Amino acid sequence: IVLASLCAYPLAKFDFYGKGFIVALLLSTQILPTSANNIVNYLTISKLGIMGTLTAVILPGAVGVFSIIFFRQAYMAVPNEMMEAARIDGASELQIWARIMLPQTRPAVSTIVIFDFTAKWNSFLWPIIVLRPDKYPIAAALNYLNGKFNYNFGYIMAATVISIIPVILIFCLFQKNYLNVVVGSVKG
C-alpha cells in the first residue's frame, strides 16, 4: 500500500518529462495475464538466490500496477490548492503525501487493502512455483489435504472455513470506506 501510493503521488500531482509514457506503460501491462509475469518473476527470484523462501513469494507482488493506477486516480481528485497551502506553510513533499494526500484518499486506501489482502491471501500458483510443500500458504496447501485415493471432506471444509476468517475480518475492518467508494461510483 505504501509503495503503491508513493509511486502514484508523482504520477498524479507532478509534471515531468515522460509522465504520459509511464502512465501508458503501466496501463498497458494490465492486458497481460498474470501467469505471463511468472516467467520474469521466476528468473528474477532465482538470480537473487531467494528461491524457496517466503521473500520469494512476497517480493514480486509488493507493488501492484492496479494499486498504483487506483491511487493515481484518487490523488487526482484532491485539489491542488491544499498542496500549495501546505508548501507555503513549509511542508516537504513527504509531509504533504502523509498529512494531506493519504487522509484525503482514505476510501481508496481501504479499497486497495481489501483487494490486495484478498489477492495475496488467495494466491495459489506463485507459491506452488517457488516454495516447497511444507511452506505453502493455506490456499495452496488446501490442494494437498486431499489424498490420492480418498477425499478428506472434513479436513478440507475445516481448513476452508479457517482460511476465510482473515478475509472476512479485513473486510469488516475496512468496509465503511470501501462501501463509500462503491456507492460513490454508482452515484456519479
Side-chain angles (χ1 to χ4, degrees):
I1 305 273
V2 172
L3 294 175
S5 62
L6 280 172
C7 289
Y9 177 55
L11 290 175
K13 292 298 181 178
F14 296 157
D15 287 326
F16 56 90
Y17 180 75
K19 175 181 164 179
F21 176 74
I22 292 171
V23 172
L25 187 67
L26 286 172
L27 285 170
S28 67
T29 61
Q30 292 297 289
I31 64 170
L32 295 173
T34 309
S35 56
N37 297 333
N38 288 343
I39 298 167
V40 175
N41 290 340
Y42 182 83
L43 293 173
T44 305
I45 293 300
S46 63
K47 292 280 185 189
L48 290 174
I50 56 174
M51 190 68 78
T53 64
L54 293 178
T55 306
V57 176
I58 296 168
L59 190 61
V63 179
V65 175
F66 174 77
S67 302
I68 294 171
I69 294 168
F70 197 83
F71 274 124
R72 178 181 176 268
Q73 292 305 115
Y75 288 155
M76 289 175 71
V78 177
N80 289 336
E81 290 79 17
M82 294 178 74
M83 294 172 47
E84 292 170 12
R87 283 190 189 106
I88 290 171
D89 290 341
S92 68
E93 291 301 326
L94 194 58
Q95 289 173 329
I96 293 171
W97 170 76
R99 294 183 182 167
I100 294 173
M101 300 304 279
L102 277 181
Q104 291 292 321
T105 58
R106 193 174 297 127
V109 172
S110 296
T111 303
I112 294 299
V113 166
I114 291 170
F115 284 179
D116 278 357
F117 180 81
T118 304
K120 302 302 185 271
W121 186 258
N122 292 328
S123 65
F124 179 77
L125 182 62
W126 183 244
I128 286 177
I129 293 172
V130 296
L131 294 176
R132 295 185 319 266
D134 62 331
K135 289 188 175 183
Y136 284 168
I138 196 159
L142 280 173
N143 190 37
Y144 287 92
L145 285 177
N146 200 11
K148 284 188 177 185
F149 300 108
N150 62 349
Y151 190 71
N152 299 323
F153 186 73
Y155 294 143
I156 293 172
M157 286 302 295
T160 303
V161 168
I162 290 170
S163 73
I164 291 172
I165 291 172
V167 175
I168 292 171
L169 288 175
I170 291 294
F171 183 78
C172 288
L173 288 173
F174 293 96
Q175 77 176 351
K176 179 184 175 192
N177 290 325
Y178 173 73
L179 293 176
N180 286 342
V181 170
V182 173
V183 169
S185 66
V186 172
K187 272 195 244 177

